[in-house]
Amino acid sequence: MPLLPSTTDDALFDNLLPGDIHRYARISKAAHSAVSSYIRCRFRIQDVLGKYFTEREILEFRRLQYYTGMFISGSTALQFFERKRYQESDLDVYVEHRYRRYVAAFMLKVGYAYIEAPEGWPLAGDEGPPESLEAILERVPDEEDGEGGGDDLFAGAFHPAAPTWYFGAAILLNFEKKNPHRKIQVITCHRAPLQKVLHFHSTMPQSRQSYCQMIRVIGKSIRSADFSITPFSSKYHHHLILLSMAQQVKYESFPGFFAHDGIQRTQTPLPAIPPSFGLLDHESGNWTRFLDTLSAMNKEAPGVSYKFFLLSRHGQGSHNVAEAKYGTEAWDDYWSTINGDGELTWGPDPKLTNLGILQAEEACKGWQTEAAAGLPHPDRRYCSPLSRALNTCSIMFKNVYPDNKGPVVVWENCREDIGLHTCDKRDTKSYIASAFPDFVIEDGFTEEDELWHATLRETAAEITARARGVIDRIFREDGDAPFISITAHGGFINAFLAAVGRDIYPLPTGGTSSVFFLINIRVLTGRPGGTTGILPIVVKRTAQN
């Protein structure tokens, strides 16, 4: 059933190209209102993705697009713009090769089965297809290793796991689901996937130039639909690409406020809870002066916003004890993949040890000291859904601020590296709600841990993309909140630092890192341990034309 009733205008608009619809909307206020109503009704991504996913899965798919830059190409995008449905069509998605495991894990999680390439499939330079999904994921490395380079677009572009007709592809994965039959193709590229598709399908510079005009037209007309659209054609193809509208920003560290700024990963770190959380100003009223400076910076720079983050790592958990017992190499190779050794139990979702509780209590004392010195209640508090972080956060803020300005919000994406290690599989939503009744769980949080996978683990690039998504979300949703607290994990915090261009910091368990940001909105080109104490990082936000 459509969102809005059909009108006479709808019959007219159904026969117009998107660019013509946009031009019609500029005639009058009444025309603009009619077009807006039509767009909300007809240009619905749910209508084309509903064939492949449930409503909840569509949200997860869109979130994956947001974090990875994955886009929809081919007939599905064409159906979206033409407002038609092709019953026999497949869903083709393109994504950077470094995100392949994340996308593959999502497809398996929502019930799709990986289909091996048929015998005799025309692969470049190989005698046969890979034997399994894991084999093809491992076959092509993260970094492009072909010969050539320079300005030659296709130098070193071909890999044995991709068909010869997919120019620039690293691998091609086929996923299917039956009853009814549905097929999804995932094409990965080392270089920008959009660039590969443009060069593959577009052979006429004039066509590309003319369609650049349509990009602006359509982008304006359905901006409210939360999409960024790139249509283009060639002499032989009319090819449309549907991109996720991920906010493109650059994050960079802004040093000068905290002692952690000058400390590199090879240097001796500061104590887990240093005086004033590492603030260089130790005089009375230091927090007031710092936050006043932050406020002034936000007012003085049009188009630029600044936020102050306090990142806290959880206290010691039983998995930390086990890794110390067996050593990191043996832990990663075997012990981390099981739940325990008969003496220690670390999976799934281990709790704090007695030492971990003491560490969280020490962090609480640090917060109490700084609160008495003028550090206000954080404007927003977020926490990982893993028990060790939840327990740390609960203990850390106990009786610190009598006038509680808001609950801790549990965010799925603040968790540790996802997959393979049993200690990183979270408990159920029901357990979290029962054990931490004062915390609020974000909307869309699933009952079971649907992200964790027994054989696939996030890469450093993937968790960095996830951390960046958290930063994006905070700046988007918490625009009026300059002071943010996040209680998380060593891997997540290092990914957070990587997302803002800061080197990792060896933060011990129970440690706190302060981060201050400058966000710059523009196109970006281009094994976490424990991390920072208190890092100032800045973010400059400039709307892209």
Side-chain angles (χ1 to χ4, degrees):
M1 182 175 181
L3 295 178
L4 298 170
S6 178
T7 66
T8 303
D9 291 327
D10 291 350
L12 170 65
F13 298 151
D14 281 341
N15 292 282
L16 295 180
L17 294 174
D20 295 328
I21 295 173
H22 173 70
R23 282 186 286 273
Y24 180 86
R26 300 173 67 180
I27 295 175
S28 66
K29 289 185 177 179
H32 183 275
S33 177
V35 167
S36 298
S37 175
Y38 176 80
I39 287 173
R40 289 195 298 271
C41 182
R42 290 288 196 271
F43 288 99
R44 299 183 67 245
I45 191 63
Q46 292 87 346
D47 291 342
V48 291
L49 291 183
K51 173 181 175 181
Y52 305 96
F53 307 114
T54 65
E55 288 189 11
R56 180 179 293 276
E57 291 166 355
I58 289 174
L59 291 176
E60 293 183 39
F61 179 83
R62 298 292 290 154
R63 187 179 299 170
L64 189 62
Q65 286 188 282
Y66 184 91
Y67 297 143
T68 66
M70 176 176 65
F71 62 80
I72 301 168
S73 178
S75 60
T76 300
L78 192 62
Q79 291 176 71
F80 179 83
F81 290 110
E82 292 189 344
R83 289 141 283 164
K84 296 179 180 178
R85 301 294 171 261
Y86 307 146
Q87 296 302 319
E88 302 302 321
S89 63
D90 300 332
L91 176 62
D92 296 337
V93 297
Y94 286 74
V95 70
E96 287 186 55
H97 186 63
R98 57 179 172 155
Y99 299 125
R100 65 194 184 280
R101 290 183 175 276
Y102 211 49
V103 177
F106 169 78
M107 295 301 172
L108 296 177
K109 187 193 75 169
V110 299
Y112 280 83
Y114 170 67
I115 306 300
E116 295 180 9
E119 197 66 33
W121 212 41
L123 304 178
D126 195 87
E127 296 180 355
E131 294 298 323
S132 65
L133 175 60
E134 185 62 28
I136 196 170
L137 291 174
E138 288 291 335
R139 166 168 286 212
V140 181
D142 284 341
E143 299 298 327
E144 191 168 16
D145 58 0
E147 298 178 357
D151 295 328
D152 184 356
L153 177 68
F154 299 115
F158 295 102
H159 290 276
T164 55
W165 60 84
Y166 277 91
F167 286 79
I171 61 174
L172 186 149
L173 306 173
N174 287 310
F175 295 91
E176 291 186 0
K177 185 183 285 190
K178 300 184 182 300
N179 300 321
H181 179 264
R182 287 147 289 173
K183 181 180 178 181
I184 299 176
Q185 283 194 328
V186 178
I187 302 98
T188 75
C189 302
H190 281 116
R191 305 182 189 181
L194 179 56
Q195 182 188 41
K196 298 296 186 185
V197 175
L198 283 168
H199 280 77
F200 175 45
H201 289 280
S202 185
T203 58
M204 294 179 62
Q206 288 183 341
S207 294
R208 201 179 311 165
Q209 182 177 359
S210 65
Y211 272 85
C212 284
Q213 304 302 319
M214 284 189 64
I215 293 172
R216 289 192 288 271
V217 170
I218 300 177
K220 291 178 182 176
S221 66
I222 59 174
R223 190 181 303 276
S224 62
D226 221 16
F227 304 109
S228 171
I229 290 82
T230 301
F232 63 95
S233 73
S234 72
K235 184 176 181 180
Y236 305 105
H237 299 81
H238 182 78
H239 201 81
L240 293 159
I241 295 177
L242 180 59
L243 296 166
S244 64
M245 194 173 178
Q247 190 172 45
Q248 296 174 325
V249 301
K250 179 180 180 180
Y251 300 100
E252 52 188 320
S253 173
F254 187 83
F257 291 96
F258 295 91
H260 304 78
D261 294 337
I263 297 178
Q264 304 301 316
R265 72 174 76 190
T266 57
Q267 297 175 297
T268 302
L270 296 174
I273 311 294
S276 300
F277 288 155
L279 190 64
L280 292 174
D281 181 358
H282 294 292
E283 300 299 323
S284 176
N286 55 353
W287 286 114
T288 299
R289 284 189 296 275
F290 165 66
L291 293 173
D292 285 347
T293 300
L294 176 62
S295 177
M297 291 169 65
N298 274 317
K299 294 177 181 178
E300 292 173 0
V304 178
S305 60
Y306 302 83
K307 290 190 187 294
F308 168 52
F309 287 77
L310 276 176
L311 307 178
S312 300
R313 185 186 179 194
H314 63 80
Q316 184 193 66
S318 57
H319 66 300
N320 298 123
V321 177
E323 182 174 357
K325 176 180 179 180
Y326 292 105
T328 298
E329 184 175 355
W331 170 258
D332 286 339
D333 288 346
Y334 172 69
W335 293 104
S336 64
T337 65
I338 61 177
N339 292 333
D341 61 0
E343 178 182 346
L344 292 169
T345 300
W346 53 77
D349 199 13
K351 309 299 188 289
L352 294 179
T353 63
N354 290 334
L355 175 58
I357 294 172
L358 291 175
Q359 290 169 336
E361 291 172 346
E362 286 300 310
C364 177
K365 293 177 183 177
W367 274 93
Q368 290 172 336
T369 298
E370 300 313 317
L375 178 65
H377 190 292
D379 296 300
R380 302 287 189 276
R381 292 181 295 170
Y382 299 109
C383 186
S384 158
L386 295 176
S387 292
R388 53 193 184 271
L390 294 166
N391 275 289
T392 298
C393 187
S394 179
I395 295 171
M396 187 169 64
F397 284 108
K398 186 176 182 180
N399 299 325
V400 174
Y401 295 101
D403 53 337
N404 190 347
K405 292 186 178 180
V408 174
V409 181
V410 180
W411 272 8
E412 186 84 87
N413 283 321
C414 289
R415 62 192 291 177
E416 186 60 290
D417 301 34
I418 299 173
L420 195 60
H421 292 196
T422 59
C423 60
D424 298 327
K425 183 177 182 180
R426 70 164 171 82
D427 215 317
T428 62
K429 178 181 179 180
S430 299
Y431 166 77
I432 296 172
S434 174
F436 303 94
D438 295 333
F439 288 16
V440 171
I441 301 174
E442 67 173 328
D443 293 339
F445 196 89
T446 59
E447 174 64 19
E448 302 293 336
D449 187 351
E450 298 180 1
L451 297 179
W452 189 86
H453 194 280
T455 60
L456 298 174
R457 186 162 177 82
E458 279 184 304
T459 65
E462 289 164 347
I463 189 175
T464 298
R466 174 158 60 85
R468 176 179 164 156
V470 168
I471 299 169
D472 282 336
R473 182 178 176 185
I474 287 172
F475 274 92
R476 183 178 68 254
E477 298 181 1
D478 301 331
D480 60 343
F483 179 19
I484 309 294
S485 167
I486 300 178
T487 306
H489 311 262
F492 175 83
I493 294 175
N494 276 335
F496 187 100
L497 297 178
V500 300
R502 209 281 190 200
D503 194 13
I504 68 170
Y505 181 89
L507 186 69
T509 51
T512 299
S513 164
S514 105
V515 185
F516 183 48
F517 287 107
L518 169 71
I519 303 181
N520 193 349
I521 302 184
R522 56 180 177 171
V523 177
L524 289 178
T525 57
R527 152 122 179 201
T531 140
T532 21
I534 301 189
L535 263 180
I537 301 177
V538 193
V539 196
K540 180 179 180 180
R541 170 166 283 200
T542 305
Q544 186 180 8
N545 294 327

